[in-house]
């Protein structure tokens, strides 16, 4: 996985992942992660990017 340069931590549980940074991620950072998970919900909330787990129908 290619991470945004400002990423400080990456935490994964199952197939969900949370990236954190000391500063806010940018829309470009969000798009970088979304391109790597095209069929997953990926959200941005300031300094946190979340790759949400697949729904039961997607597994």
């Amino acid at each position: 996985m290619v991470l945004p340069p400002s990423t400080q931590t990456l935490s994964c549980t199952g197939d969900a992942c949370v990236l954190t940074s000391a500063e806010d991620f940018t829309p470009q950072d969000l798009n970088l992660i979304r391109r790597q998970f095209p069929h997953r919900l990926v959200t941005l909330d300031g300094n946190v990017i979340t790759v949400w787990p697949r729904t039961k129908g997607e597994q």
Side-chain angles (χ1 to χ4, degrees), residues 4-34:
S6 64
T7 302
Q8 288 190 321
T9 64
L10 169 64
S11 171
C12 295
T13 302
D15 66 348
C17 295
V18 176
L19 292 76
T20 59
S21 173
E23 56 194 48
D24 284 352
F25 284 111
T26 66
Q28 292 82 10
D29 295 332
L30 176 63
N31 288 331
L32 173 68
I33 300 301
R34 281 185 170 161

